[in-house]
Amino acid sequence: MSEAIPAQKAPYPVDVEAGQKYAWCACGRSSTQPYCDGAHKAVGMRPTVFTADESKKVFLCGCKATGNVPFCDGKHKSL
Ligand code: FES
């Protein structure tokens, strides 16, 4: 299994809708960041699927090093 690589060293601000499922790219290789495009299959990783609890703007991790998957926790500042 490969390591995650940063897609960018900053979060992705995105609007999510309550009740909608999203697949956050965990490997950093998707070309449709911050969401999964299936690129993980080549490196033996899996996306993190989550359901939005309310409709709002969230900050999804772009560096793939967060300790609060799939959300930014500020870790990118130390990379
Ligand atoms: S973008 Fe990964 S912790 Fe902020």
Side-chain angles (χ1 to χ4, degrees):
M1 189 165 120
S2 298
E3 297 282 317
I5 57 172
Q8 65 177 23
K9 291 182 180 174
Y12 291 95
V14 295
D15 294 314
V16 295
E17 287 182 39
Q20 188 74 37
K21 269 191 185 175
Y22 298 90
W24 172 76
C25 168
C27 73
R29 292 163 176 84
S30 172
S31 61
T32 57
Q33 294 292 333
Y35 301 116
C36 175
D37 74 350
H40 61 270
K41 290 175 188 155
V43 293
M45 296 183 73
R46 303 196 63 128
T48 296
V49 177
F50 68 99
T51 303
D53 53 1
E54 57 183 302
S55 297
K56 63 181 177 181
K57 183 176 294 295
V58 297
F59 294 85
L60 297 179
C61 174
C63 76
K64 314 304 179 184
T66 181
N68 184 33
V69 168
F71 306 104
C72 174
D73 71 353
K75 180 80 179 270
H76 63 271
K77 295 175 188 162
S78 63
L79 298 180

